[in-house]
């Protein structure tokens, strides 16, 4: 049966492969084999692959840079498509850039700087693809994707290509309509402002350096494990402990790292996974960590933080195949 499906897929998508280890494609270096795996480099290929998988009734998972994923070590059933679309970025009139969803976000940041356009410098050092960032409304250093998006072209679940305005994207903290509806971001246009190249470059570089100094980038990881906590959600009796930790990014929040520290879990190891001592909202893979090691650590943090502070931490990383 499996062979039959693979043969059918192979006939229509000659580059498709089977049993490809996803740990090769995630920044965590964790993840079991994808039953079927395809890297797409053109928009029409990704649309075709999704259409074919739907026709054959096999599950589909679209990934970008794999920088926000915890993938199970077990077989990931169905088709995993890695969006690697490298169609060119285009500078249009009025400081608008149109870019494909599969482009590495860092390349888009570099392109905007090259054109002396400001508005993306907050994203210096942010890994992953532009499409992944639009879907999750990625943000850092006071900026978010939603601040620059003009419109997005996306593939909906009925395989229609839709063009959505910024308002229609329903961006919110680390979320969007694409995340809620599971639509694929094909491309998007962003509107930036003319600026001073050197200044923009310096700000972007300072963020890259900040990340190098403060984040455990020397180990495989998936960025922040937990979303930061809305200050309003903190029970009144604990609010004053965290008053001096509040950041307005993008609204008054307390970084989750403080709750991990408060729960006494910094440096805690399970198997080969560890809560980073450099940044306690990161879990690092010390080499050969299993998805279960990470999952157990995540559960432990959630339990302890709930018990101590009555706060339900929500993970920012996306779970795949559990
Ligand atoms: C060291 C490090 C630092 C990080 N710092 C930050 C940070 O400061 N701020 C922040 O917000 N994030 C941060 N992240 C998380 C991550 O980089 C972002 O979430 C990034 O935008 C994810 O993009 P990706 O292409 O890697 O997505 P993936 O990890 O491949 O996928 C994540 C989710 O997006 C979906 N997806 C991917 N591409 C598309 C698409 N084209 N259309 C629709 N859905 C898609 C996938 O199905 C999956 O559900 C960090 C990660 C790391 C490893």
């Amino acid at each position: 049966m499996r062979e039959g499906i693979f043969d059918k897929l192979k006939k229509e998508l000659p580059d498709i492969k089977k049993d490809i280890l996803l740990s090769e494609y995630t920044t965590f270096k964790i993840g079991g084999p994808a039953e079927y795996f395809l890297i797409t480099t053109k928009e029409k290929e990704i649309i075709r692959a999704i259409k074919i998988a739907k026709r054959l009734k096999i599950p589909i998972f679209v990934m970008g840079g794999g920088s926000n994923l915890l993938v199970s070590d077990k077989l990931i059933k169905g088709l995993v498509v890695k969006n690697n679309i490298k169609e060119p970025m285009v500078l249009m009139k009025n400081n608008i850039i149109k870019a494909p969803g599969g482009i590495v976000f860092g390349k888009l940041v570099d392109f905007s700087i090259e054109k002396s356009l400001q508005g993306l410098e907050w994203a210096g050092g942010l890994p992953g693809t532009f499409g992944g960032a639009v879907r999750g409304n990625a943000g850092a250093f006071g900026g978010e994707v939603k601040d620059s998006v003009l419109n997005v072209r996306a593939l909906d679940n009925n395989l229609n290509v839709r063009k959505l305005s910024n308002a229609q994207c329903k961006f919110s903290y680390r979320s969007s309509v694409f995340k809620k509806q599971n639509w694929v971001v094909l491309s998007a246009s962003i509107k930036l402002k003319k600026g001073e190249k050197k200044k923009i470059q310096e700000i972007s570089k300072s963020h890259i350096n900040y990340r190098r100094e403060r984040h455990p980038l020397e180990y495989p990881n998936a960025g922040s494990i937990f979303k930061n906590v809305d200050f309003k959600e903190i029970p009144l009796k604990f609010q004053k402990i965290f008053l001096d930790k509040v950041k307005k990014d993008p609204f008054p929040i307390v970084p989750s790292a403080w709750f991990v520290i408060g729960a006494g879990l910094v440096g805690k190891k399970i198997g080969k996974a560890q809560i980073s001592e450099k940044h306690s909202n990161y879990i690092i893979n010390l080499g050969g960590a299993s998805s279960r090691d990470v999952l157990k650590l995540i559960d432990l943090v959630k339990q302890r933080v709930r018990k101590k502070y009555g706060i339900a931490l929500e993970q920012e990383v996306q779970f795949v195949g559990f």
Side-chain angles (χ1 to χ4, degrees), residues 287-321:
S290 70
S291 58
R292 289 225 61 83
D293 293 341
V294 177
L295 210 56
K296 282 185 193 158
L297 267 183
I298 291 176
D299 284 346
L300 180 68
V301 172
K302 281 186 174 177
Q303 267 173 36
R304 292 267 185 97
V305 169
R306 189 191 293 268
K307 196 164 171 210
K308 182 153 184 190
Y309 301 112
I311 292 168
L313 286 182
E314 217 185 303
Q315 71 267 358
E316 189 169 319
V317 286
Q318 306 295 301
F319 290 168
V320 183

Short mmCIF file of all heavy atoms in Angstrom, two decimals, residues 287-321:
data_model
loop_
_atom_site.label_atom_id
_atom_site.label_comp_id
_atom_site.label_asym_id
_atom_site.label_seq_id
_atom_site.Cartn_x
_atom_site.Cartn_y
_atom_site.Cartn_z
N GLY A 287 23.23 16.95 22.32
CA GLY A 287 23.76 15.96 21.35
C GLY A 287 22.99 14.67 21.54
O GLY A 287 23.14 14.01 22.58
N GLY A 288 22.13 14.37 20.56
CA GLY A 288 21.36 13.12 20.63
C GLY A 288 20.12 13.20 21.52
O GLY A 288 19.59 12.15 21.93
N ALA A 289 19.63 14.40 21.82
CA ALA A 289 18.39 14.50 22.62
C ALA A 289 17.24 13.91 21.83
O ALA A 289 17.18 14.04 20.59
CB ALA A 289 18.10 15.96 22.95
N SER A 290 16.33 13.25 22.54
CA SER A 290 15.15 12.71 21.85
C SER A 290 14.02 13.72 22.00
O SER A 290 14.05 14.60 22.86
CB SER A 290 14.74 11.37 22.45
OG SER A 290 14.23 11.58 23.75
N SER A 291 13.01 13.55 21.14
CA SER A 291 11.86 14.46 21.24
C SER A 291 11.19 14.29 22.60
O SER A 291 10.68 15.24 23.18
CB SER A 291 10.88 14.21 20.10
OG SER A 291 10.44 12.87 20.10
N ARG A 292 11.23 13.08 23.13
CA ARG A 292 10.59 12.82 24.44
C ARG A 292 11.35 13.55 25.55
O ARG A 292 10.74 14.03 26.51
CB ARG A 292 10.54 11.33 24.74
CG ARG A 292 9.56 10.60 23.88
CD ARG A 292 8.68 9.61 24.65
NE ARG A 292 7.86 10.22 25.69
CZ ARG A 292 6.67 10.79 25.48
NH1 ARG A 292 6.19 10.89 24.26
NH2 ARG A 292 5.97 11.28 26.48
N ASP A 293 12.68 13.58 25.47
CA ASP A 293 13.47 14.32 26.47
C ASP A 293 12.95 15.77 26.55
O ASP A 293 12.73 16.30 27.63
CB ASP A 293 14.96 14.38 26.09
CG ASP A 293 15.66 13.02 26.14
OD1 ASP A 293 15.13 12.11 26.79
OD2 ASP A 293 16.73 12.88 25.49
N VAL A 294 12.80 16.37 25.36
CA VAL A 294 12.39 17.78 25.33
C VAL A 294 10.96 17.92 25.84
O VAL A 294 10.66 18.81 26.65
CB VAL A 294 12.50 18.35 23.89
CG1 VAL A 294 12.02 19.79 23.83
CG2 VAL A 294 13.94 18.25 23.39
N LEU A 295 10.11 17.02 25.39
CA LEU A 295 8.71 17.07 25.81
C LEU A 295 8.58 16.96 27.33
O LEU A 295 7.81 17.68 27.96
CB LEU A 295 7.97 15.91 25.14
CG LEU A 295 6.51 16.14 24.83
CD1 LEU A 295 6.31 17.37 23.96
CD2 LEU A 295 5.94 14.91 24.11
N LYS A 296 9.39 16.05 27.91
CA LYS A 296 9.33 15.87 29.37
C LYS A 296 9.78 17.16 30.07
O LYS A 296 9.21 17.55 31.09
CB LYS A 296 10.23 14.71 29.80
CG LYS A 296 9.59 13.35 29.55
CD LYS A 296 10.50 12.27 30.11
CE LYS A 296 10.11 10.90 29.64
NZ LYS A 296 11.24 9.95 29.73
N LEU A 297 10.81 17.80 29.53
CA LEU A 297 11.27 19.06 30.15
C LEU A 297 10.18 20.13 30.05
O LEU A 297 9.95 20.87 31.01
CB LEU A 297 12.52 19.57 29.43
CG LEU A 297 13.89 19.17 29.99
CD1 LEU A 297 15.00 19.82 29.18
CD2 LEU A 297 14.04 19.56 31.47
N ILE A 298 9.54 20.19 28.89
CA ILE A 298 8.47 21.19 28.70
C ILE A 298 7.35 20.93 29.71
O ILE A 298 6.87 21.86 30.38
CB ILE A 298 7.94 21.15 27.25
CG1 ILE A 298 9.01 21.67 26.28
CG2 ILE A 298 6.64 21.95 27.10
CD1 ILE A 298 8.65 21.60 24.80
N ASP A 299 6.99 19.66 29.86
CA ASP A 299 5.91 19.32 30.81
C ASP A 299 6.31 19.67 32.23
O ASP A 299 5.50 20.18 33.01
CB ASP A 299 5.55 17.83 30.71
CG ASP A 299 4.74 17.54 29.47
OD1 ASP A 299 4.24 18.50 28.85
OD2 ASP A 299 4.62 16.35 29.08
N LEU A 300 7.57 19.38 32.56
CA LEU A 300 8.04 19.67 33.92
C LEU A 300 7.96 21.18 34.21
O LEU A 300 7.48 21.59 35.27
CB LEU A 300 9.49 19.17 34.07
CG LEU A 300 10.12 19.39 35.43
CD1 LEU A 300 9.44 18.51 36.48
CD2 LEU A 300 11.63 19.06 35.40
N VAL A 301 8.42 21.98 33.24
CA VAL A 301 8.37 23.44 33.45
C VAL A 301 6.92 23.88 33.64
O VAL A 301 6.59 24.63 34.56
CB VAL A 301 9.01 24.19 32.25
CG1 VAL A 301 8.78 25.70 32.38
CG2 VAL A 301 10.50 23.89 32.15
N LYS A 302 6.05 23.38 32.78
CA LYS A 302 4.63 23.79 32.86
C LYS A 302 4.05 23.45 34.23
O LYS A 302 3.39 24.28 34.85
CB LYS A 302 3.82 23.08 31.78
CG LYS A 302 3.97 23.69 30.40
CD LYS A 302 3.01 23.01 29.46
CE LYS A 302 3.01 23.66 28.11
NZ LYS A 302 2.16 22.98 27.17
N GLN A 303 4.33 22.21 34.68
CA GLN A 303 3.79 21.77 35.98
C GLN A 303 4.29 22.64 37.12
O GLN A 303 3.53 23.11 37.94
CB GLN A 303 4.31 20.36 36.28
CG GLN A 303 3.43 19.23 35.83
CD GLN A 303 4.19 17.92 36.07
OE1 GLN A 303 4.93 17.78 37.05
NE2 GLN A 303 4.04 16.98 35.14
N ARG A 304 5.62 22.85 37.13
CA ARG A 304 6.21 23.60 38.25
C ARG A 304 5.74 25.05 38.27
O ARG A 304 5.50 25.62 39.33
CB ARG A 304 7.74 23.59 38.15
CG ARG A 304 8.34 22.23 38.35
CD ARG A 304 8.73 22.03 39.84
NE ARG A 304 9.40 20.77 40.00
CZ ARG A 304 10.72 20.61 40.04
NH1 ARG A 304 11.51 21.67 39.94
NH2 ARG A 304 11.26 19.43 40.16
N VAL A 305 5.66 25.66 37.07
CA VAL A 305 5.27 27.07 37.02
C VAL A 305 3.79 27.21 37.41
O VAL A 305 3.41 28.13 38.13
CB VAL A 305 5.56 27.66 35.61
CG1 VAL A 305 4.93 29.04 35.44
CG2 VAL A 305 7.07 27.74 35.38
N ARG A 306 2.99 26.25 36.98
CA ARG A 306 1.57 26.29 37.35
C ARG A 306 1.43 26.17 38.89
O ARG A 306 0.68 26.90 39.51
CB ARG A 306 0.81 25.16 36.66
CG ARG A 306 -0.71 25.29 36.83
CD ARG A 306 -1.41 24.04 36.37
NE ARG A 306 -1.28 23.83 34.94
CZ ARG A 306 -2.16 24.27 34.05
NH1 ARG A 306 -3.21 24.93 34.45
NH2 ARG A 306 -1.99 24.04 32.77
N LYS A 307 2.23 25.24 39.44
CA LYS A 307 2.13 24.99 40.89
C LYS A 307 2.59 26.22 41.68
O LYS A 307 1.94 26.63 42.64
CB LYS A 307 2.99 23.77 41.23
CG LYS A 307 2.68 23.20 42.57
CD LYS A 307 3.25 21.81 42.73
CE LYS A 307 3.10 21.40 44.19
NZ LYS A 307 4.13 20.49 44.61
N LYS A 308 3.70 26.80 41.23
CA LYS A 308 4.27 27.90 42.03
C LYS A 308 3.52 29.22 41.81
O LYS A 308 3.31 29.97 42.75
CB LYS A 308 5.76 28.06 41.69
CG LYS A 308 6.42 29.14 42.49
CD LYS A 308 7.88 28.93 42.70
CE LYS A 308 8.43 30.03 43.60
NZ LYS A 308 9.86 30.02 43.67
N TYR A 309 3.18 29.52 40.53
CA TYR A 309 2.61 30.84 40.24
C TYR A 309 1.17 30.81 39.75
O TYR A 309 0.58 31.88 39.48
CB TYR A 309 3.46 31.55 39.17
CG TYR A 309 4.91 31.76 39.57
CD1 TYR A 309 5.93 31.07 38.94
CD2 TYR A 309 5.23 32.66 40.59
CE1 TYR A 309 7.26 31.26 39.31
CE2 TYR A 309 6.55 32.86 40.96
CZ TYR A 309 7.56 32.15 40.32
OH TYR A 309 8.86 32.35 40.68
N GLY A 310 0.62 29.63 39.52
CA GLY A 310 -0.75 29.55 38.98
C GLY A 310 -0.84 30.06 37.56
O GLY A 310 -1.86 30.58 37.13
N ILE A 311 0.27 29.93 36.82
CA ILE A 311 0.29 30.42 35.44
C ILE A 311 0.41 29.24 34.48
O ILE A 311 1.25 28.35 34.69
CB ILE A 311 1.48 31.38 35.23
CG1 ILE A 311 1.27 32.65 36.04
CG2 ILE A 311 1.71 31.70 33.76
CD1 ILE A 311 2.50 33.50 36.13
N ALA A 312 -0.42 29.24 33.45
CA ALA A 312 -0.34 28.17 32.45
C ALA A 312 0.54 28.65 31.30
O ALA A 312 0.09 29.42 30.45
CB ALA A 312 -1.74 27.84 31.93
N LEU A 313 1.80 28.21 31.30
CA LEU A 313 2.69 28.62 30.20
C LEU A 313 2.21 27.95 28.92
O LEU A 313 1.78 26.79 28.94
CB LEU A 313 4.13 28.20 30.48
CG LEU A 313 4.91 28.98 31.54
CD1 LEU A 313 6.34 28.45 31.63
CD2 LEU A 313 4.94 30.47 31.21
N GLU A 314 2.35 28.68 27.83
CA GLU A 314 1.91 28.15 26.53
C GLU A 314 3.14 28.02 25.66
O GLU A 314 3.94 28.98 25.60
CB GLU A 314 0.99 29.20 25.92
CG GLU A 314 -0.18 28.66 25.15
CD GLU A 314 -0.90 29.83 24.49
OE1 GLU A 314 -1.31 30.76 25.23
OE2 GLU A 314 -0.99 29.83 23.27
N GLN A 315 3.32 26.88 25.00
CA GLN A 315 4.56 26.78 24.22
C GLN A 315 4.47 27.57 22.91
O GLN A 315 3.40 27.67 22.32
CB GLN A 315 4.99 25.34 23.96
CG GLN A 315 4.17 24.55 23.01
CD GLN A 315 3.11 23.75 23.74
OE1 GLN A 315 3.03 23.78 24.96
NE2 GLN A 315 2.31 23.05 22.98
N GLU A 316 5.63 28.12 22.54
CA GLU A 316 5.71 28.87 21.28
C GLU A 316 6.12 27.91 20.15
O GLU A 316 5.73 28.08 19.01
CB GLU A 316 6.75 30.00 21.44
CG GLU A 316 6.77 30.97 20.29
CD GLU A 316 7.61 32.21 20.58
OE1 GLU A 316 7.54 32.75 21.72
OE2 GLU A 316 8.34 32.65 19.68
N VAL A 317 6.91 26.88 20.49
CA VAL A 317 7.33 25.92 19.45
C VAL A 317 6.13 25.10 19.00
O VAL A 317 5.22 24.83 19.78
CB VAL A 317 8.43 24.92 19.95
CG1 VAL A 317 9.76 25.57 20.06
CG2 VAL A 317 8.02 24.25 21.22
N GLN A 318 6.18 24.70 17.73
CA GLN A 318 5.09 23.90 17.16
C GLN A 318 5.44 22.43 17.28
O GLN A 318 6.55 22.02 16.89
CB GLN A 318 4.91 24.25 15.68
CG GLN A 318 4.73 25.72 15.41
CD GLN A 318 3.43 26.22 16.02
OE1 GLN A 318 2.37 25.75 15.70
NE2 GLN A 318 3.56 27.15 16.95
N PHE A 319 4.51 21.64 17.81
CA PHE A 319 4.73 20.20 17.93
C PHE A 319 4.29 19.51 16.65
O PHE A 319 3.21 19.79 16.13
CB PHE A 319 3.91 19.63 19.10
CG PHE A 319 4.40 20.05 20.46
CD1 PHE A 319 3.64 19.83 21.58
CD2 PHE A 319 5.64 20.65 20.63
CE1 PHE A 319 4.08 20.20 22.85
CE2 PHE A 319 6.10 21.03 21.88
CZ PHE A 319 5.31 20.81 22.99
N VAL A 320 5.10 18.59 16.18
CA VAL A 320 4.76 17.87 14.95
C VAL A 320 4.88 16.36 15.20
O VAL A 320 5.91 15.89 15.67
CB VAL A 320 5.73 18.25 13.79
CG1 VAL A 320 5.33 17.55 12.50
CG2 VAL A 320 5.76 19.75 13.59
N GLY A 321 3.81 15.65 14.90
CA GLY A 321 3.86 14.18 14.93
C GLY A 321 3.66 13.55 16.30
O GLY A 321 3.93 12.36 16.45
#
